[in-house]
Amino acid sequence: MMAIKSHHCCFSFIFLLLPLLLQLHSVKGDLQLNYYAQSCPNAEEIIKQQVIKLYNKHGNTAVSWVRNLFHDCMVKSCDASLLLETVNGIESEQKSDRSFGMRNFKYVKTIKDALEQECPGTVSCADIVSLSARDGIVLLGGPRIEMKTGRKDSKRSYLSEVENTIPNHNDSMELVLSRFQSIGIDTQGIVALLGAHSVGRVHCVNLVHRLYPTVDPTLDPDYAEYLKGRCPTPDPDPEAVLYSRNDRETPMILDNMYYKNLLKHKGLLVIDQQLTSDPTTSPFVEKMAADNGYFHDQFARAVLLLSENNPLTGDEGEVRKDCRYVNSE
């Protein structure tokens, strides 16, 4: 009888512990702040210092890190699938037309190598994508964003999914909104995310349809003439260095000048200018044009949501040794 009672007591205790154990497993599997506090305490500082060094040598890398986050996290998951190169049956997402103009992938290896030297096989490429974007945003004059870590890297790429998930520069506003809303970002967050167009540049390939054979009537005439000077022919060479800055006034500062330009009909891309003509987005354009702090707050909130889209955690992925290739079995 005593034995039966003893076993009953043990089963009851385990039963009571089960929800707690499951909860602990769930917490462990989720993203968390300072995920590398024990395994690689200097991880975030190493990434930050590498991002600063690269920015001081090649200022446009900061813009690349922001674009990497967008292109990686919009396609399935924030899982560094974007970084995989075409090899061994994998077709790189970088081959997509949506990835036109993306560059500086080689410098991801610079960051990864510094981490591998300190903590081999510990920090994921997916976390490098997110944290380098966070630190790049600060260097571009944007807000500091507290990001969770613990993402794992995918073992495959999703080239066939890219065009169905990443909006194109001449898509309708309805489509753009639906793509972002599908991952939980609301309208004001979407308007803020497009404010990333405040920095960087656009190749003439993506502009000439607004200039030739006739000028898009939504463009300011003087601005259109400036753009024709930057893009003098209707069929630019994609390999040539022919581009226009997204923002002529503060081209490397992430600020609300982008929205002020939109209100003056100086949006560079079709999607930019549509923000002012769509009744669901135009009130937020006006509010962000008037208040840089409000823009930064909404941008930080939206970037955080983007960076946490469907991450692989726990045993769902891996930590690649080289961000360009899946680990060999």
Side-chain angles (χ1 to χ4, degrees):
M1 189 70 178
M2 287 293 292
I4 293 173
K5 283 185 177 180
S6 175
H7 282 305
H8 179 73
C9 177
C10 276
F11 284 133
S12 297
F13 182 64
I14 291 170
F15 183 76
L16 289 169
L17 268 180
L18 190 59
L20 178 61
L21 291 169
L22 289 173
Q23 184 180 8
L24 287 171
H25 175 76
S26 174
V27 170
K28 186 178 179 183
D30 290 341
L31 300 182
Q32 53 191 269
L33 291 172
N34 302 312
Y35 176 83
Y36 299 106
Q38 300 300 320
S39 60
C40 190
N42 295 325
E44 295 195 26
E45 183 63 22
I46 290 170
I47 293 173
K48 177 182 174 182
Q49 291 305 318
Q50 290 298 319
V51 167
I52 291 171
K53 284 181 184 177
L54 287 165
Y55 175 77
N56 288 335
K57 290 180 180 177
H58 316 280
N60 57 32
T61 52
V63 180
S64 296
W65 308 146
V66 179
R67 192 175 179 191
N68 283 358
L69 181 76
F70 166 62
H71 278 255
D72 187 49
C73 292
M74 284 295 291
V75 182
K76 286 282 190 182
S77 165
C78 294
D79 57 8
S81 60
L82 170 69
L83 302 180
L84 290 172
E85 294 189 355
T86 299
V87 67
N88 296 334
I90 287 176
E91 283 194 281
S92 177
E93 293 170 21
Q94 297 170 31
K95 291 171 59 178
S96 170
D97 289 344
R98 294 289 196 274
S99 301
F100 176 71
M102 295 187 75
R103 52 192 175 150
N104 293 321
F105 291 115
K106 62 186 177 183
Y107 295 124
V108 175
K109 188 175 187 306
T110 303
I111 300 172
K112 177 65 168 172
D113 287 349
L115 289 164
E116 287 297 301
Q117 189 172 352
E118 176 90 2
C119 313
T122 304
V123 181
S124 70
C125 301
D127 278 339
I128 292 173
V129 169
S130 291
L131 294 177
S132 61
R134 177 189 73 178
D135 296 332
I137 287 167
V138 172
L139 292 173
L140 293 168
R144 169 77 178 180
I145 305 167
E146 287 301 319
M147 280 189 180
K148 295 178 181 179
T149 42
R151 300 165 188 80
K152 293 296 189 290
D153 302 325
S154 71
K155 299 179 183 180
R156 55 170 297 190
S157 66
Y158 302 98
L159 176 62
S160 62
E161 303 283 336
V162 174
E163 293 198 8
N164 296 323
T165 51
I166 295 180
N168 203 9
H169 61 89
N170 55 3
D171 281 339
S172 69
M173 183 54 63
E174 182 182 13
L175 179 59
V176 172
L177 291 175
S178 70
R179 292 276 169 86
F180 282 104
Q181 287 165 352
S182 72
I183 65 168
I185 300 177
D186 59 19
T187 302
Q188 63 181 333
I190 297 164
V191 175
L193 275 183
L194 285 170
H197 290 175
S198 170
V199 293
R201 62 189 190 179
V202 173
H203 197 283
C204 290
V205 165
N206 292 330
L207 299 177
V208 289
H209 65 288
R210 300 192 72 195
L211 304 173
Y212 306 100
T214 57
V215 172
D216 183 335
T218 64
L219 270 175
D220 173 82
D222 291 338
Y223 187 54
E225 285 304 309
Y226 163 77
L227 292 178
K228 280 188 172 183
R230 301 294 305 175
C231 307
T233 64
D235 53 350
D237 179 358
E239 302 296 322
V241 182
L242 293 167
Y243 64 87
S244 177
R245 291 285 179 189
N246 284 340
D247 172 3
R248 292 167 66 191
E249 282 80 19
T250 55
M252 290 297 286
I253 300 176
L254 189 64
D255 61 10
N256 66 340
M257 186 62 72
Y258 167 75
Y259 303 100
K260 294 177 181 179
N261 286 333
L262 295 185
L263 295 177
K264 297 175 184 176
H265 297 280
K266 294 181 179 180
L268 196 56
L269 298 169
V270 170
I271 190 60
D272 296 325
Q273 203 55 57
Q274 282 188 77
L275 285 173
T276 61
S277 57
D278 189 289
T280 62
T281 55
S282 59
F284 297 117
V285 171
E286 292 177 4
K287 193 169 181 180
M288 290 179 195
D291 188 342
N292 194 57
Y294 169 71
F295 160 55
H296 276 182
D297 288 345
Q298 294 305 315
F299 183 79
R301 183 178 65 87
V303 165
L304 192 59
L305 286 169
L306 180 64
S307 74
E308 296 181 1
N309 179 40
N310 194 31
L312 303 179
T313 58
D315 298 327
E316 295 175 308
E318 64 180 10
V319 175
R320 290 184 211 138
K321 296 181 180 69
D322 186 321
C323 295
R324 300 170 296 175
Y325 314 111
V326 298
N327 295 338
S328 55
E329 296 297 335

